[in-house]
Amino acid sequence: MQKNRILPKTEIDLEVDAQDWWQSLPWDKFQDRIKKIQTRIYQDTKHGKWKQVRDQQRLLLHSKAAKALAIRKITQMNRGKLTAGLDRKVYLTAKSRLALLSEINTKYLFSKAYKPTHVKRIYIPKLDGTKRPLGIPTVIDRIYQELLRMALDPEWEGKFHEHSYGFRPGRNCQDAIEMIKKAYKKGYKHILEADLSKCFDNLNHQHILRQISKPYRQIIKKWLKIGVIDMGTLLKTESGTPQGGVISPLLSNIALNILDHAINQVRGLTLLRFADDFIVMSQSVELLYKAKRGIESLMKMIGTMLNEKKTKIVSIQDGFSFLGFFINKFPNRALCVQPQRERVKNFLVKLKTLITTHKQVQTKYLIVGLNSRIRGWTNYYRFCKTHVVFSRIQNILWRWIWNWCKRRHPMKGKRWVYRHYFGKGDRKWQLVADDFELRSPFDTKRKSYQWNVGSLSPYDPREGVQDLWEKRRCGEYYV
């Protein structure tokens, strides 16, 4: 009698098994474990216990939980998961991610043998028509960068100034806008509207490395000095941080941290910064001119410089733009915060481009595309004065939609077009298709932002502080 043979598993079976195993990993426990280590790093940094900080960072870097979370974020959660570096490799299957889990070695990262791959240079269009250069490391280098970022981020959260809001956990643009309102109430009515000239491309490497702790200095130096491949040509990187790298936002904040502390410790000055965009508020114009000269000298050390054409000193009555908002003060009225005119124009251009380039698609697909853009844009501006702007956007968008509908049926009358494409009752004249309905800007209700971030950090382990962050996550401060 012939014995039963066990057939080898096919590639599909192996992938199914790998997918089940990858999904069954205790991701919540991994998150809790890393969060506990990060809170200890933050707490020890605040108390100046540097030996304990290095021990906890070493524990995190060698943790399998941290490696798994880094791989998951880079290859599965980030928007750049489909973007490959020079090695043209992406890891989109559970089998390949499990192979990465055994390949990533922290000891190799700290050895002299580790040499990162050159960065791939690509260009993306900016709002002003120019192109921004991005540097794309390989996926493996991005995972190593994410690991080191997870270890360094809580340490620097204990060192950053509270008026820095960009690329930090638990902070956003609205926190900076609320700080502007508070500073205005204290009498800060003169503003230095600063603009840095190609900040990320010109940051001084030596200045950044001096701020980094010795155990990680050589690794970051390799990432900064590795060079980029642009159209097949290797270009040396003598300055700047590669925009596109996972750790680049943290390095830029580290470089500009000295600016935050130097200006904010001057009595009568308040500097608010989001990434490379910042303003300085003061009660007197003379103090702002002195601050500008001090900033220029600091910029030479940091490696960048002020753009004289776009840097100016204005009064709150004249108004100024910051983070896509236009802020000014009318006589006998409260401080007015509304969407910046250029941002409104660019948003309308994007909507019109979407409509004109999708003339033959089904109506429901056009509605889905428009709704995603309208929802994201209006949510960003839901805490400021938007009634006039939203009315204008709604009127212009309706006219484009009406022309889009009529073009598809040139032989039909207006009544037929209305009955075929638009809703009735409370949603009269809203574009509908099946169960899909075009979103109105006014569907996003205006809310009051009552959260005061101050010097709070999500890494702060104190029980009362964690309760505040939990309430914020539940939306209790958005009324």
Side-chain angles (χ1 to χ4, degrees):
M1 182 176 178
Q2 189 176 7
K3 294 183 179 181
N4 293 330
R5 293 182 179 178
I6 300 176
L7 297 176
K9 288 188 176 182
T10 63
E11 289 293 327
I12 297 177
D13 294 333
L14 290 174
E15 180 58 38
V16 170
D17 291 345
Q19 183 71 23
D20 293 340
W21 195 87
W22 179 258
Q23 291 180 351
S24 66
L25 288 176
W27 296 110
D28 292 338
K29 290 184 179 180
F30 287 171
Q31 291 279 9
D32 293 340
R33 189 179 307 168
I34 298 306
K35 184 67 178 295
K36 288 180 181 178
I37 299 175
Q38 289 178 325
T39 55
R40 288 198 292 266
I41 293 173
Y42 175 84
Q43 195 172 26
D44 291 337
T45 301
K46 282 293 188 180
H47 292 90
K49 299 178 181 179
W50 302 115
K51 184 182 183 304
Q52 288 88 333
V53 169
R54 302 295 167 247
D55 291 341
Q56 294 298 328
Q57 288 175 334
R58 194 180 304 111
L59 178 64
L60 187 148
L61 288 168
H62 290 275
S63 169
K64 290 184 178 180
K67 296 176 185 178
L69 289 172
I71 293 171
R72 186 191 188 201
K73 181 176 180 180
I74 299 301
T75 65
Q76 195 171 356
M77 300 175 66
N78 279 7
R79 288 188 298 176
K81 61 185 177 183
L82 301 176
T83 305
L86 282 178
D87 60 356
R88 300 181 181 180
K89 291 182 180 179
V90 291
Y91 301 83
L92 303 179
T93 63
K95 184 180 178 182
S96 61
R97 294 179 187 125
L98 289 174
L100 271 178
L101 193 57
S102 60
E103 182 180 350
I104 297 299
N105 187 354
T106 310
K107 292 182 179 179
Y108 172 66
L109 176 65
F110 283 89
S111 68
K112 294 182 179 180
Y114 171 68
K115 291 184 180 179
T117 309
H118 296 302
V119 175
K120 182 174 72 173
R121 171 66 56 82
I122 63 173
Y123 295 90
I124 60 172
K126 296 173 64 176
L127 295 176
D128 58 2
T130 59
K131 292 185 177 181
R132 175 186 287 114
L134 288 185
I136 308 299
T138 61
V139 172
I140 292 180
D141 286 338
R142 273 179 266 169
I143 293 172
Y144 279 129
Q145 289 185 14
E146 174 63 16
L147 267 175
L148 195 56
R149 187 204 64 80
M150 291 166 67
L152 291 178
D153 199 41
E155 175 191 348
W156 280 95
E157 271 298 301
K159 297 179 179 179
F160 286 142
H161 196 277
E162 63 181 77
H163 289 177
S164 168
Y165 299 97
F167 303 117
R168 293 180 59 186
R171 292 168 177 261
N172 54 35
C173 298
Q174 193 58 42
D175 293 318
I177 300 301
E178 292 300 312
M179 189 61 207
I180 291 174
K181 297 177 181 178
K182 294 176 183 177
Y184 168 74
K185 291 179 180 178
K186 295 179 181 179
Y188 291 79
K189 300 181 180 180
H190 301 280
I191 295 93
L192 170 63
E193 191 178 351
D195 184 83
L196 296 180
S197 179
K198 296 182 179 180
C199 175
F200 297 117
D201 297 331
N202 298 321
L203 292 176
N204 189 317
H205 288 175
Q206 294 303 319
H207 170 68
I208 295 174
L209 294 174
R210 280 195 297 267
Q211 319 300 318
I212 303 296
S213 305
K214 282 187 178 181
Y216 318 112
R217 197 173 293 170
Q218 288 301 319
I219 301 172
I220 292 178
K221 184 178 181 180
K222 290 178 182 179
W223 289 332
L224 292 175
K225 299 289 187 181
I226 190 59
V228 298
I229 301 294
D230 189 1
M231 302 295 290
T233 304
L234 175 60
L235 304 177
K236 294 183 178 180
T237 49
E238 300 297 337
S239 62
T241 60
Q243 298 183 59
V246 178
I247 204 170
S248 296
L250 176 61
L251 295 180
S252 62
N253 272 338
I254 291 173
L256 295 171
N257 185 47
I258 188 175
L259 174 67
D260 302 333
H261 287 278
I263 301 301
N264 279 299
Q265 71 181 4
V266 178
R267 187 175 181 180
L269 291 179
T270 296
L271 182 143
L272 307 171
R273 183 176 64 84
F274 191 98
D276 60 334
D277 295 330
F278 70 91
I279 61 170
V280 182
M281 302 182 69
S282 176
Q283 296 177 353
S284 68
V285 179
E286 294 78 10
L287 196 56
L288 282 181
Y289 280 107
K290 292 181 181 179
K292 183 181 177 183
R293 290 192 293 270
I295 290 172
E296 289 173 348
S297 62
L298 282 172
M299 289 298 105
K300 292 179 181 178
M301 179 173 52
I302 295 172
T304 184
M305 58 185 299
L306 291 175
N307 188 339
E308 292 295 337
K309 294 183 179 179
K310 296 183 179 180
T311 301
K312 55 187 178 180
I313 295 177
V314 297
S315 173
I316 195 71
Q317 283 76 21
D318 301 328
F320 64 97
S321 298
F322 187 53
L323 302 178
F325 297 90
F326 184 75
I327 305 166
N328 66 337
K329 172 69 169 62
F330 294 108
N332 301 323
R333 291 188 182 182
L335 196 67
C336 180
V337 181
Q338 54 189 335
Q340 188 180 350
R341 183 175 298 177
E342 290 78 8
R343 294 293 183 96
V344 177
K345 182 179 178 181
N346 291 328
F347 176 63
L348 288 172
V349 168
K350 289 181 180 179
L351 293 184
K352 187 173 184 180
T353 302
L354 180 66
I355 294 171
T356 55
T357 55
H358 294 80
K359 297 178 179 179
Q360 303 301 328
V361 300
Q362 295 183 30
T363 307
K364 62 180 180 182
Y365 296 128
L366 179 67
I367 292 175
V368 171
L370 289 173
N371 281 352
S372 64
R373 287 161 176 79
I374 294 171
R375 184 183 296 106
W377 196 85
T378 54
N379 278 341
Y380 182 75
Y381 290 106
R382 59 181 169 167
F383 298 109
C384 67
K385 184 180 179 181
T386 55
H387 182 79
V388 175
V389 172
F390 282 7
S391 295
R392 180 182 172 221
I393 291 174
Q394 188 174 29
N395 293 336
I396 294 175
L397 180 61
W398 182 87
R399 186 165 66 248
W400 290 341
I401 291 295
W402 178 253
N403 292 334
W404 183 84
C405 296
K406 287 200 302 180
R407 180 194 171 279
R408 293 164 70 93
H409 306 281
M411 305 303 293
K412 299 291 185 179
K414 295 180 180 179
R415 294 179 182 272
W416 185 93
V417 172
Y418 167 72
R419 290 195 301 268
H420 191 71
Y421 283 100
F422 294 90
K424 303 181 185 303
D426 295 337
R427 306 298 291 180
K428 190 176 182 180
W429 294 106
Q430 285 294 106
L431 184 66
V432 295
D434 299 333
D435 295 330
F436 298 90
E437 183 176 323
L438 183 63
R439 184 181 181 87
S440 168
F442 290 102
D443 289 338
T444 301
K445 303 300 181 183
R446 184 180 178 184
K447 294 188 176 182
S448 175
Y449 193 85
Q450 299 179 355
W451 170 252
N452 180 20
V453 65
S455 59
L456 298 178
S457 172
Y459 297 126
D460 195 333
R462 292 176 296 176
E463 184 176 353
V465 175
Q466 289 302 317
D467 291 341
L468 292 175
W469 283 108
E470 185 60 32
K471 290 180 181 179
R472 181 183 183 273
R473 294 186 195 99
C474 297
E476 292 187 22
Y477 292 95
Y478 308 150
V479 182

